[in-house]
Structure formats: C-alpha cells, structure tokens
Amino acid sequence: MTQDRSEMSEDDDDKQSPPLDLRSAAIAEPSSSSSSSSVVVVVDSTPNKSRNCISSSSSGSLTSQPFPDHVLENVLENVLQFLDSRCDRNAASLVCKSWWRVEASTRSEVFIGNCYALSPARLTQRFKRVSSFVLKGKPRFADFNLMPPDWGANFAPWVSTMAKAYPWLEKVDLKRMFVTDDDLALLADSFPGFKELILVCCEGFGTSGIAIVANKCRKLKVLDLIESEVTDDEVDWISCFPEDVTCLESLAFDCVEAPINFKALEGLVARSPFLKKLRLNRFVSLVELHRLLLGAPQLTSLGTGSFSHDEEPQSEQEPDYAAAFSACKSVVCLSGFRELMPEYLPAIYPVCANLTSLNFSYANISPDMFKPIIQNCHKLQVFWALDSICDEGLQAVAETCKELRELRIFPFDPREDSEGPVSEVGLQAISEGCRKLESILYFCQRMTNAAVIAMSENCPELTVFRLCIMGRHRPDHVTGKPMDEGFGAIVKNCKKLTRLAVSGLLTDQAFRYMGEYGKLVRTLSVAFAGDSDMALRHVLEGCPRLQKLEIRDSPFGDAALRSGMHRYYNMRFVWMSACSLSRGCCKDIASAMPNLVVEVIGSDDDDENRDYVETLYMYRSLDGPRKDAPKFVAIL
Amino acid sequence: MDEFINLKETELRLGLPGTENVCEEKETVSCCNNSNKRALPSGSENETESSTRKTETSPPRKAQIVGWPPVRSYRIKNNIQTKKNETDHEVQGSYVKVSMDGAPYLRKIDPSCYKGYSELLKALEVMFKFSVGEYFEREGYKGSDFVPTYEDKDGDWMLVGDVPWEMFLCTCKRLRIMKGSEAKGLGCGV
C-alpha cells in the first residue's frame, strides 16, 4: 500500500537512508556533503584504486584526469533521470565528481530531514532544477509542549531563496515548520506553475494565507492542511479559488478551526472534476455533506466533517444519507466524524466493504456502535480509532480485518490515571487476527509482557512498534515484572523493525536487548525508562542504523552521552530532556565535533552558569549554528 | 408528587446496601521517584503554557506531567470538544418525537423542559387527551389502557418511570404511548 502522506499524517517517513560512515571515500566536493539529507565529513580520504575517477581529499593534491567529456555527461544525465529514490541518488553522487555534478543537475525532488542541517543557499548552489521540496523542522517532542514556542524552523529563508532559484517549483511539503502568511504569499507569487502544497503539523499562518494560495496558484492540484494550527482570520478562503474549472485533486482542511462558506464549497466541488480527496472540517454538517456527496461521487478519500447537525432538521424527511454514500462507489478512505452523532453512523454501511483506510480517532464510539460497522470492513488496511471501542472492539477488528497493516489506538482520556478501556487483551487479539500488521501505535493503561511477546511472534512484518503505557514506570500488571521481556521480544523477533517507542517499567536489560537485536532501528523514543548510563550506551553502541533518538525523563548522564560520539555525525538528531546531563559535557562534545550543533534549551535564561541541562537537542549541520536562535536556546 | 419515584431505591452508588454516605476518595499516590520537575496540575489541556521548571514536593494528587502521555494538543482539544458536545446533545434542547397508537400524527417535546416524570406525564396527557393511570414500581401503570414507553439508546422499549429522571433524560430517544392489548404485554397485572 502506498504511503500517502496526505491521508495519514504521522511521521513514518524516509524508509531508506544510507548508513554513512565517517571513513567513506571519494567525496566530490571538499567543502560540502554529497547528499542533501546526510552529512559525511571527510576525515581521511582513501582513494579507491578500482575506481578510475577523481577523488578529492582535504590535502588537495589530486591525480589528474582528462575532463569528462560532454557526451559522457549527457549519457549520464539521461540515465540518472530515472533514479527516483534519494537513497540511490545519494549513492550515485558519491561515485565521482562527474557523477556528482550530473546527479545534482538532474535531481528534481529534494528531501531535507532537518531544516537546520544546511542553509538554503547550499541547497540552491548544489541542486539547480528542483521542482519538489520536502522539508522538516522541529523535532517531534515539540508536539508535546516540551519545547517553548518560537524556537525556530522558519520557512521564510527557504521560500525567499527558492523563489529566486526555482521559479518552476511545483511542490512544497513541510512538516513542523513555522510558516507565515507572508511566506505563503511569496510562494503564491513566485511559482506560477505551483501544484502541490502540503502542510503537516505546521503553524504561524491563517486563513488569509490560504486564501492567497487558493487565489493565485492557478494550477493547484493539492492543498492539504493536516494537523496544522490555522488561525481564523475570518477570510472566506473557499471563495478565493478561481471561478473557472480547477485542477484540484486533493483538498484537505479538516484541521482548520473556522467556519466556511458552504455554498462556495459546493460550487468549488462542482467545478473540480478531478477532485478525488476531500477532507472537510467540523463546520460542515451532515446535511451539507450529503449535498456534497451527491455532487461528487468520484471521490476516493473523504473526510466527513462533523457528521452531526446543530438543530433538528426542518422536516420529518431526513436526507437519505445511506443512499448518498452508496453512490460513492470509489470511496476507499474515510475519516472525519468530528462531532459524531452515532445514530447516523449506519449511513456509511454501503462503503464499508470497499474501505482500505478508516479513521475514527475523533469519534467517541462505544463497542456496540462500532462492531456492526467494522464487521463489514474486510479490506481494511489502515485503522485509527479511540480506545472507546474497548478490547471488545479490537477483538472485532481482529476477527474481520485480516488485511490490516496499520493500527493506531489513541486515548480518549489521555491522563495517567484514567480508566483504561483497552489492554493486553486487545493487543493479543489483534496479534492473532491481523498477521500482516506492519505498524502499530497503542495507548493503554495496562499491558503484559505475554501480549507483547505474542505480537512479536505473530506479526513478523512489523516495522513500527509504538506502545505507550500511560502510567509511568508501570510494570506488567499480571506478573509485576518490568516490560523488558516484551520489548526484547519485539526487537528480537521483528526482523524488519525500524521504529520503536517504549514505555512502562523498563530496566537496563530492555536496552541491552535493543542494542543486541535492534540492528535496523532508525527511530527510537524513550520516556521514563532505564536505570543507568549503560542503557543508553547499549543503544548507541549496538544500533548502527539509529538516526533519530528522542529521550525524556530517563537517568542517562554524561558518560552515556560521550559513549555515542562516534555516532552523532551519522544521525539526524538526538533529543534528551530531563535526563542527567551537565553543561560541561555538552560543551566538550560541541568542541570535539565541529559539525555538530549542540543546543541547550532551557527556560531559565537568567541562570547561564547552571550546569544542569534541561533539554539537549543536537544535530549535524553543514553550515554551522543557526543565526535565528531565540534567547532561551544556547548553542554551545 | 415526588414520592412518585423512589429515587433512593434506584440510586447507583458504591457501598453495601443499607450503608449511607460511602464516598471513595481517589487514592493519593505520591509522585514517582523520578525527578518530577515539570509537573503541572492540568498540564495537558493548556497548550500555550510553557513548562514550569519547579521541583515538586509530594503533591496531594497525581499531578499531570507536561507532554505525557504523548498526545498532540490538537487531539486533546478535539476530545474535550467531543465530551462537551455529548453532554450538550444529551441534556439540553433535544426534542424527541412522541407517538401515540392510533393518533394520525406525531408530536415533539423537549423532556428536559420538565422537572420530573409527573410534569412530563401531565403534559403528555394534555397533548394527547388521555390519562395514564398510576405508576407502581413492580406492576407498572395500572388503571388505564395507555402506557407511556420510551426508546432508549440501545433501541429497547422501556417503561417510563423506572430510572431516575436525569438518567431518563440522557437515554430517552423517543416516546410512545402504547394502547390496548399491546400495552398489556408490558407486565401490567394480568
């Protein structure tokens, strides 16, 4: 199944990223890296005799070669054009200077995993013909208020640089960036052929910025606002789309907390013959949804808005919602239900059998309401819900959804001491019923090692395992033991595991398992876990593919941090908050590793001499520390 | 006529029958041994509040930790909105249809306008020009061919008057005044 970013917003991103080694050879440019998404610092260059090409070294003396002739470069260009994966492109660019140059001139899609890893100028200097641009900003823990606002990740310098360098730019995909209305205006003005704007978990803009994009980007195909904070500037942005037939294929505005002009929306949908994906916000009522559906039966992905109505309908004759849904034969992805009136849920029965993706995670549905729906969803591959469906609901999922690939269960009451309607019972059931499971995010209050072990054995295809036992330090509630064995089994048995988030009571043993078995793990999230520095050392020493490490409230100190110094240039970032780090140690690391930006983030800006580090966020960078750091960030 | 319904009998509470005033206090758990520098009393709901770095002495109840559990504030806000909507829909201004067997058309009333069963039934009696008889806890309504019933959230038809008024308001979806032989089936004394 394709990972459609505009459908489900979470951050399972780049699956491939070349593991880079400090000692790798043949870097084309001494002053820059060979790829946009990774930094390789040349410590020593080992000329590879089997390769007959120029290898540069910091010492500067090169074996001279006749300049590659134009025919060769043209051939290369034609060949490299077909390379899509950035992993392959990064590898190709490492071959020699000629290949580096040709690859740079043919790369049209650029992915930047950390906006502070390089400057916009470097991007435009190396890549000349970029038409599609993916950029990520803040680290994920910023979503949970662990970082003060105004930390950075501004889109402004990127858009202004690209406006001059890439007038042909077609696609911009941002995650956790700070985007202003002015940025959007500049974007709309600078790129006449602009086609796709995707903003995931962004903030800083409002409906006025969206209105400008809607109005000026005449070739717009995709406008996806996903889980972003959009201020209500009281602008009727829907009416700002041009009057004639649009190119729109996807319009997602479910996160926009502002009423919309429904009549204008109806008109827009009517003149958008290519529209396949439509995600409404909660200000669109059931009656209005009904009218839209009648006019757009070609939709494949639908966000249903509120799925309720404010007042009682005028007439006794309620619209036949089920009929409208049954006319939408192509709908395979359903979400919304923001203010669900459960008595209307049966209206979706006609589309259940076709659904591959269902998102109930904004609807507080009981098992009784849920079971009749899910029993029809045999083709379901992606399912998000609230824990209000209970273990009983999960059992129903396990019975029916044999094709399930991705499951996310969110807590309706996200407090540590809330009642937990889902538990190991649900997890066990899913593991037995959904053998093709690849990705799971599961919030619960109680869990057992046995259930986690069962999942590790039953679901060998797991690549993402994120278990959040909401009570901190909570052990296996049946045996009273730590959750070490459960997570150990996951890293051991799930051979394809790339992403892991742990919780519950965990000792160093759990981390020993991770270091021993977690050879493909790229992203690791740790909270309230571990006993000592050894835990972190196991991971830093044992997980060669680790790229993103986020740790909070765990007893890891300086010794552990130092033990990972050989890794940090090969990682995208390390986040450690409320651990046991000292400022002195962080300073040492910063001095020892010049291409690493070491940010210490605190709220106490008076106490500069304080040795305790509240939050450490460090990442590699080709262009040194950023110039836009706010006062509460100290770059060591 | 508030003795009409014996609320105490049907009251749901914790404790053995016959005991008065049983209140369970929330277990006070002292905070975990881990450093708890950023505990806030209501951390998760206020998204703009930065974490305050204060060391906590043991708080009276389990304080919320900033950013834990790791649910985006966007979802939390939505859940709060959902909870609010549910209470709104259930209690305030929700009209329900009222049908009477044999009547040519239905009526609509808002049960939350009334203070209790006696008022509601009186209003229905006036609306449909009938009288409802006397309610007995075990036998139901006696002395009339008409029996007031309602459909609850599970879709079952229940006798009006069995549950406490507030609970009735939450669960009543529509009303039906049954008449004649069908009404007898509800356990009125045969």
Side-chain angles (χ1 to χ4, degrees), chain A residues 11-292:
Chain A
D11 28 12
D12 301 299
D13 57 285
D14 44 335
K15 299 230 181 259
Q16 316 149 329
S17 177
L20 291 163
D21 190 14
L22 275 176
R23 293 170 293 285
S24 70
I27 307 305
E29 289 284 307
S31 60
S32 72
S33 95
S34 54
S35 65
S36 64
S37 64
S38 58
V39 172
V40 176
V41 174
V42 179
V43 170
D44 54 83
S45 76
T46 21
N48 186 334
K49 299 218 165 57
S50 65
R51 288 191 216 147
N52 191 16
C53 59
I54 299 170
S55 83
S56 77
S57 69
S58 33
S59 65
S61 70
L62 309 167
T63 44
S64 65
Q65 271 246 309
F67 195 80
D69 84 280
H70 291 297
V71 173
L72 177 62
E73 290 219 350
N74 280 336
V75 168
L76 262 180
E77 208 172 290
N78 283 312
V79 168
L80 289 184
Q81 252 168 198
F82 294 101
L83 278 186
D84 287 330
S85 123
R86 65 175 188 271
C87 198
D88 292 342
R89 283 188 160 269
N90 290 348
S93 68
L94 283 174
V95 170
C96 65
K97 205 163 183 174
S98 173
W99 281 56
W100 185 90
R101 219 178 15 244
V102 174
E103 193 283 314
S105 66
T106 56
R107 190 185 295 223
S108 60
E109 291 173 16
V110 170
F111 171 90
I112 298 177
N114 174 6
C115 64
Y116 287 122
L118 67 154
S119 67
R122 185 178 290 271
L123 167 73
T124 54
Q125 273 158 26
R126 177 172 170 186
F127 298 109
K128 298 299 185 189
R129 299 219 53 99
V130 174
S131 61
S132 164
F133 177 66
V134 180
L135 183 67
K136 297 191 178 187
K138 285 186 257 193
R140 199 178 70 96
F141 273 9
D143 290 352
F144 315 122
N145 302 330
L146 291 182
M147 189 179 246
D150 304 326
W151 170 82
N154 300 300
F155 184 47
W158 294 93
V159 66
S160 56
T161 307
M162 290 197 297
K164 300 183 200 105
Y166 308 134
W168 46 76
L169 193 68
E170 291 182 354
K171 174 175 167 182
V172 167
D173 181 337
L174 306 177
K175 186 163 187 180
R176 290 194 192 96
M177 293 292 297
F178 191 84
V179 182
T180 63
D181 290 330
D182 288 339
D183 297 336
L184 293 175
L186 184 58
L187 184 146
D189 274 330
S190 313
F191 309 120
F194 195 73
K195 293 191 176 138
E196 297 186 40
L197 180 64
I198 301 168
L199 300 175
V200 180
C201 299
C202 295
E203 56 174 351
F205 63 101
T207 47
S208 44
I210 300 302
I212 301 174
V213 172
N215 185 251
K216 295 205 173 161
C217 302
R218 300 267 147 164
K219 303 249 174 81
L220 198 65
K221 294 206 292 193
V222 173
L223 178 59
D224 283 353
L225 307 170
I226 298 169
E227 289 193 29
S228 293
E229 288 245 8
V230 184
T231 56
D232 181 4
D233 303 326
E234 296 183 14
V235 168
D236 180 4
W237 59 277
I238 299 270
S239 298
C240 293
F241 280 96
E243 295 278 315
D244 36 341
V245 170
T246 75
C247 311
L248 275 180
E249 295 174 16
S250 173
L251 178 64
F253 59 95
D254 41 347
C255 62
V256 177
E257 289 293 308
I260 51 137
N261 177 342
F262 178 69
K263 211 152 180 262
L265 178 63
E266 218 181 343
L268 178 65
V269 171
R271 61 183 193 280
S272 302
F274 305 107
L275 194 67
K276 292 272 189 258
K277 299 182 183 176
L278 181 62
R279 305 238 159 145
L280 308 167
N281 68 6
R282 63 179 182 86
F283 293 88
V284 179
S285 72
L286 202 45
V287 173
E288 290 168 341
L289 171 67
H290 180 256
R291 281 172 58 178
L292 284 175

Side-chain angles (χ1 to χ4, degrees), chain A residues 10 143-144 176 227 229 255 312 338-339 361-362 364 411-412 414-415 470 472 552-553 603 614, chain B residues 32 34 38 47 53 64-72 74-75 78-79 83 85-86 89 97 108:
Chain A
E10 291 284 337
D143 290 352
F144 315 122
R176 290 194 192 96
E227 289 193 29
E229 288 245 8
C255 62
E312 287 294 301
R338 296 284 166 144
E339 294 172 358
S361 66
Y362 295 104
N364 185 20
F412 178 62
R415 290 176 300 139
M470 291 193 275
R472 290 165 288 150
R552 64 167 293 183
D553 293 273
S603 58
E614 181 64 50
Chain B
C32 67
N34 227 4
R38 285 173 308 194
E47 55 155 338
R53 317 282 198 251
Q64 303 285 51
I65 301 292
V66 170
W68 187 262
V71 178
R72 291 195 180 125
Y74 180 66
R75 283 195 179 277
N78 196 89
N79 288 350
K83 276 187 205 153
N85 286 342
E86 282 170 3
H89 286 146
K97 296 181 187 173
K108 261 200 168 160

Side-chain angles (χ1 to χ4, degrees), chain A residues 583 606-612:
Chain A
R583 207 179 176 95
D606 309 342
D607 198 350
E608 296 248 332
N609 293 322
R610 194 167 72 150
D611 201 37
Y612 172 74

